Amino acid sequence: MMNFSPFRANFSLLAALILSTFLLAIPESATAGQCLKSKVVDRPKIGLVLGGGGARGYAHVGVLKKLEELRIPYDFVTGTSMGSIVGGLLATGMESDELARVVREADWDDLFSDKTQREDLPFRRKTEDNLGLFGPKLGIGKDSDLLPKGVVSGQKIVFMFESVVSQRVNTSDFNNLPIPFRAIATDIISGDMVVIGEGELSMAMRASMAVPGVFDPVRREGALLVDGGLVRNLPVDVAKDMGAEVVIAVDVGTKLAGEEEMTNALAIIYQMSGLLTVHNTDIQIDAMKNEDILVSPAIGDLISSADFSKLDEAIPLGYAAAEAVENQLRRFSLSQSEYEAWRRQIDSCVEGPPQVHFVQLNNQSRFSDDVIMEMVKVKPGESLDLEQLNHDLRQIYGLGFIRQARYSVIEQEGQQGIEITVFQDERGTDFIETGLDLSFSARGTTVNLRGAYLKTDLDERGAEFRGMVQVGESPGIFVDYFKPLDDRLRWSLHPSASYFSRPLYLYDQEGDAVAEVELDEFSGAFAISREFSRYARATAGFTRYTGNLDIT
């Protein structure tokens, strides 16, 4: 006979209800070991669309600040150009104050320059200043490009993006970011829009902002990617494709030049790009539905796309624009507790700094793997030391004729590590160098033109040969050979020879020239050197001079 206990039955029923409720509340990705994301069931899914516009995109930060005050969530983020930078950082779980801090602390003038600090140059590169070959260096050879594809390779800005992003997230699937994200770029070969939803977040941001001619295009899956503003400066449709039922789109505008500014070919080319951007933005705005919200900061002529020092002026403009549509935005406000729960969900997806369990090299330069790895001091078994890694990459890039040296966080067999990628200069390994000097004196102006051939890949340690010819007031030739002797590039041999014909003048006590001396000088030298880091060098060797004097 079975005994029946109402208390036991009620308790079992209650336990079953609690268990089923708990299981339903588990975020859909929790069981997969991914970041915790619950299904949106009691409100529309919101997509945040951040348009491009260079420094005008700073206004996005002000819009975000207002959205936070109104407790408005967003489930998807899409961005183009500067919008992809702000959107990419936002997708890592940042809030507006932290995002503003990152942008404010960035030295944009330095980030947009690939120039290597002198302290990071090896002595081979430092002593080249003595040759005066400051003109353009042109690549020659079968597989080389005459000139780089952009003025800036992005060496510094890629490190900045990766160093910020990798401290927070390290997933290659943008759906698994704290907020799902898409960056928009243009395939400059086909003209098609490319929606980037996987891979390295830092490189997606870099590709989306690659203004043609200014930044190198980014190669990805057979495409050559440049700024997405050419095809979709305000990617509303991309947010809809991600699943957004409602879109909040922020258009920071593209300033077109007036007739009085159309004074040269460069201005006309820039205007053409602007027209393309404005046209595709208008199409996206026209396609927005009644329930969608457009935020348009009144930037006008106050901030240009290049005014990267005007963050504090741009933020209030974005805030004011969001405030102007506050009544529309309030439809999507959450209660305090709901908003805090949404934020906790996002924060649960932030992974924190990576642990380095291994260091891997993807070396596409003229140097051997051993040479590159000798410069990498980051060691496995520790948290990623960004300061040390930045130093290591600067040392590699400082070798010269390296287009980019960067890192990415990768995962293998469940362990995190870093991959260091080194790209050879796209101009190749053989170069034509040029130089010019002018000097002025009471006797007139003297001019010397220089041209040189430089070969940089004579062996896997970067042995080099240079032959230079100078014509003008002081004609001559110069040849040298540079051979590193060890993988750490500490020891090197350096033989050289030269011939120059130089005019010299003799002056009396009043400073008047009384005679001219024509000096024909031949020299030969041989040196062995030992570098101590990149701060000092000891050299032993000899130099022999001989020549003729002709006094007139």
Side-chain angles (χ1 to χ4, degrees), residues 118 123-134 137 433 435-437 450 466 468 470 478 480 494 500 502 537:
R118 190 171 178 82
F123 275 84
R124 171 65 174 175
R125 301 278 82 92
K126 289 174 180 175
T127 55
E128 287 176 331
D129 290 352
N130 300 330
L131 300 176
L133 295 169
F134 300 117
K137 299 182 188 296
E433 303 175 295
L436 165 70
D437 64 37
R450 285 180 286 275
R466 175 183 277 113
M468 184 183 77
Q470 178 170 291
F478 171 80
D480 78 337
H494 186 199
F500 284 96
R502 311 176 191 274
R537 181 177 69 171

Side-chain angles (χ1 to χ4, degrees), residues 33 63 80 180 235 373 389 397 455 466:
V63 175
T80 298
M373 289 306 294
L389 182 57
Y397 185 73
K455 186 170 182 60
R466 175 183 277 113

Side-chain angles (χ1 to χ4, degrees), residues 353-372:
Q355 291 289 320
V356 179
H357 294 284
F358 61 89
V359 178
Q360 182 173 295
L361 178 63
N362 175 15
N363 181 20
Q364 301 178 38
S365 76
R366 66 191 185 277
F367 294 95
S368 70
D369 291 356
D370 291 337
V371 168
I372 299 297

Side-chain angles (χ1 to χ4, degrees), residues 414-425:
Q415 290 190 321
Q416 287 182 330
I418 61 170
E419 180 177 72
I420 293 176
T421 302
V422 184
F423 293 106
Q424 177 63 29
D425 194 309

Side-chain angles (χ1 to χ4, degrees), residues 180-194:
F181 172 69
R182 298 291 185 271
I184 310 303
T186 304
D187 183 349
I188 196 63
I189 304 300
S190 67
D192 294 336
M193 175 177 71
V194 177

